[in-house]
């Protein structure tokens, strides 16, 4: 039996069967995630409301390629974070959800190149150690501002970062009206949400 021919066939079958199921789960479960996040934020004192489907603002952050897209948006008031997109990524292996914390930028700003910036953690031991230090790497200007904010570092070090399995990444979107702070989907504690809003404040100065 020629396994070199069998493996591509098996992969194609798993894709043909698994992806439609994952897309169905994405549509079915996504709105529940949006409602869950909105209610949680309201519960910790954040002025939050889920935007209705079809509105211009609700569609602003949506991706338009197969398997990934914002399943809903939570609008915030009185914060540096303007809104949060709940993003679903479907594959033949299932669905993963992320949060894109959107920070609006002035419409007159140009599309100058800015690098992705990511939070890196240092642990006390290699396996299951406590996070003892945080360093931001990527865009020189933004990383420097974040690294010099010792209040932000202390707040992050005191928070439970276990929910942020993929860490925190910041993306500048030159063709859109915002920058985004991406994390895995989680329900933030008040301290961790405050830290995220502090990051958003630095993102505003990035423009």
């Amino acid at each position: 039996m020629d396994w070199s021919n069998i493996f591509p066939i098996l992969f194609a079958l798993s894709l043909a069967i698994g992806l439609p199921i994952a897309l169905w789960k994405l549509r079915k479960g996504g709105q529940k995630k949006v409602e869950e996040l909105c209610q949680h934020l309201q519960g910790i004192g954040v002025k939050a409301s889920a935007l209705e489907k079809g509105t211009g603002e609700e569609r602003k952050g949506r991706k338009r390629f197969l398997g990934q897209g914002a399943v809903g948006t939570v609008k915030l008031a009185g914060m540096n974070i303007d809104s949060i997109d709940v993003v679903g990524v479907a594959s033949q292996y299932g669905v993963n959800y992320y949060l894109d914390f959107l920070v609006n930028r002035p419409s007159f700003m140009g599309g100058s190149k800015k690098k992705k910036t990511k939070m890196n953690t240092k642990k006390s031991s290699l396996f299951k150690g406590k996070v003892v230090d945080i360093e931001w790497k990527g865009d020189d200007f933004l990383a420097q501002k974040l690294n010099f904010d010792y209040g932000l570092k202390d707040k992050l070090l005191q928070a439970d970062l276990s929910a942020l399995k993929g860490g925190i990444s910041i993306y500048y979107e030159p063709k859109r009206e915002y920058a985004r702070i991406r994390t895995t989907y989680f329900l933030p504690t008040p301290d961790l949400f405050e830290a995220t809003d502090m990051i958003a404040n630095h993102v505003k100065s990035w423009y």
Side-chain angles (χ1 to χ4, degrees):
M1 182 179 292
D2 189 352
W3 288 102
S4 63
N5 293 328
I6 293 296
F7 282 129
I9 294 172
L10 292 176
F11 177 78
L13 285 173
S14 68
L15 185 64
I17 297 172
L19 186 56
I21 294 174
L23 290 171
W24 175 78
K25 290 181 178 179
L26 175 63
R27 289 190 295 269
K28 184 177 180 180
Q31 192 56 39
K32 290 182 180 180
K33 293 286 188 183
V34 176
E35 294 169 359
E36 177 187 53
L37 176 65
C38 186
Q39 291 174 6
H40 173 80
L41 292 174
Q42 291 170 349
I44 63 173
V46 178
K47 294 180 180 179
S49 58
L51 294 179
E52 293 292 330
K53 287 186 176 182
T55 63
E57 188 169 4
E58 187 264 348
R59 296 182 63 82
K60 178 176 63 176
R62 291 181 179 274
K63 308 299 178 186
R64 296 185 179 276
F65 49 89
L66 182 64
Q68 179 175 166
V71 296
T73 301
V74 176
K75 178 68 177 176
L76 306 183
M79 311 297 296
N80 292 303
I81 302 164
D82 294 283
S83 58
I84 307 172
D85 272 354
V86 179
V87 179
V89 179
S91 71
Q92 67 269 37
Y93 306 109
V95 179
N96 292 313
Y97 289 97
Y98 300 87
L99 296 180
D100 278 351
F101 298 84
L102 304 185
V103 184
N104 289 349
R105 62 184 178 88
S107 58
F108 59 81
M109 295 302 293
S112 57
K113 290 185 178 180
K114 294 175 172 63
K115 295 180 182 177
K116 169 187 171 182
T117 303
K118 184 174 176 60
M119 182 186 77
N120 297 292
T121 59
K122 180 180 179 180
K123 294 186 177 181
S124 56
S125 63
L126 185 60
F127 299 104
K128 297 184 178 181
K130 181 181 178 182
V131 176
V132 294
D133 195 18
I134 287 172
E135 183 181 10
W136 296 87
K137 292 185 177 181
D139 186 88
D140 291 340
F141 176 81
L142 182 59
Q144 183 180 60
K145 287 186 67 67
L146 292 167
N147 284 323
F148 284 171
D149 188 338
Y150 298 108
L152 171 62
K153 178 177 284 192
D154 288 343
K155 192 169 287 292
L156 287 169
L157 289 174
Q158 293 170 13
D160 180 10
L161 299 178
S162 61
L164 301 177
K165 297 177 182 179
I168 302 175
S169 298
I170 305 169
Y171 302 86
Y172 179 77
E173 299 285 358
K175 294 182 180 180
R176 298 180 183 269
E177 299 174 356
Y178 57 82
R180 57 191 172 95
I181 304 166
R182 171 163 285 198
T183 70
T184 53
Y185 180 90
F186 74 113
L187 299 177
T189 61
D191 283 346
L192 196 47
F193 183 82
E194 183 180 349
T196 308
D197 197 61
M198 291 169 69
I199 295 169
N201 187 45
H202 286 296
V203 171
K204 283 187 172 182
S205 69
W206 198 22
Y207 300 147

